Amino acid sequence: MPMLGTLVIERARLAGFYALVAVLHFALLAVIAGIRRAPVAATGVHADAGSGGPEAGAILSRPVFWVLVLAGGLINAVSITGVANVVSLLVEQGTSPGKAAFMASVMGVAAVCGAFSIGWLCDHVGGGRALALAAAGLGASWLALVATPGFALTLAMLIVIGMCGAGTFPAMTVICSRLFGQAVLGKALALFGLFTVPLTFLLPPLAGWLHDVAGGYAAVIACIVAGCAFAAVTFFLIGLREQHAHSA
């Protein structure tokens, strides 16, 4: 899609590109309309599974939920910021627009593989530790990009960024299931998505503003690395609590 977008912008300018994006979104509505909820019997959840679970207020009253919102929101925001700025960062470092678009496409493919990889990690080390590793990988890869490495190393770092940034939702599903219970998993994830909106909405444009003020991406990457370090430590500690809850 980034490579296709570059070609469309060159031939039809931004108006044509936005029209293409709009058409693709409208086409997806037909797919979304075909989604049906699975029968209760097929989900493997007993009919009374939700009766003993906490309500939304009980979930919101637990400090660990807000820690999840902060750390998970940071990872989501870093991933969105990366997608929004990676092409401009590469072009600013001297990469041609076509090559930068190709590298962004490779990062997108890596994100698909990353979702499965994080899921595999969740099975073996838990959701918290999986996200701690993902946050550490994100921070280290962004830090390496500051040095303006060659094409091969830059591409390798973007692959790691794509893989690490795609695993937030599957890992968060595991964490919420173990900390809050399977019966209210949907409610916990919905609240998580709701309260992370401010971070995912504000931080990407804030990164653009910081780039303009600082005159480059060094300050933006420094903030990204600091946020990833905080998230890595936080999710490692959450992983300890998750392991205890899962064992109990």
Side-chain angles (χ1 to χ4, degrees):
M1 290 305 296
M3 290 188 292
L4 176 62
T6 301
L7 293 174
V8 172
I9 291 172
E10 289 176 353
R11 288 164 173 75
R13 307 186 69 83
L14 278 175
F17 173 73
Y18 291 147
L20 174 63
V21 172
V23 168
L24 290 175
H25 278 78
F26 279 119
L28 284 174
L29 290 177
V31 179
I32 295 172
I35 297 175
R36 294 292 182 268
R37 183 172 181 174
V40 175
T43 63
V45 179
H46 296 293
D48 60 347
S51 59
E55 295 299 322
I59 296 174
L60 296 177
S61 66
R62 296 182 61 178
V64 68
F65 172 79
W66 297 105
V67 175
L68 284 173
V69 166
L70 180 58
L74 277 174
I75 295 295
N76 280 335
V78 165
S79 302
I80 295 172
T81 300
V83 171
N85 291 274
V86 66
V87 172
S88 354
L89 168 64
L90 295 174
V91 170
E92 195 171 281
Q93 291 180 339
T95 306
S96 67
K99 189 178 289 186
F102 165 74
M103 296 168 82
S105 295
V106 172
M107 187 173 73
V109 174
V112 177
C113 301
F116 288 99
S117 301
I118 297 295
W120 180 86
L121 278 175
C122 288
D123 288 340
H124 290 79
V125 300
R129 291 178 180 177
L131 276 183
L133 291 172
L138 272 176
S141 300
W142 276 104
L143 186 60
L145 290 179
V146 179
T148 317
F151 176 79
L153 184 55
T154 299
L155 186 60
M157 293 301 99
L158 291 179
I159 290 174
V160 175
I161 289 172
M163 292 184 67
C164 292
T168 305
F169 186 77
M172 194 60 62
T173 302
V174 174
I175 294 172
C176 289
S177 174
R178 291 178 176 176
L179 292 183
F180 304 113
Q182 184 71 26
V184 293
L185 176 60
K187 188 180 298 180
L189 290 175
L191 291 170
F192 171 81
L194 174 64
F195 286 103
T196 53
V197 166
L199 286 173
T200 55
F201 179 77
L202 293 175
L203 292 189
L206 182 61
W209 173 83
L210 183 59
H211 167 271
D212 295 342
V213 171
Y217 276 104
V220 176
I221 293 177
C223 292
I224 287 176
V225 172
C228 288
F230 169 81
V233 173
T234 302
F235 276 118
F236 177 79
L237 296 176
I238 288 175
L240 298 177
R241 182 165 182 172
E242 173 197 354
Q243 184 179 24
H244 176 72
H246 183 58
S247 300

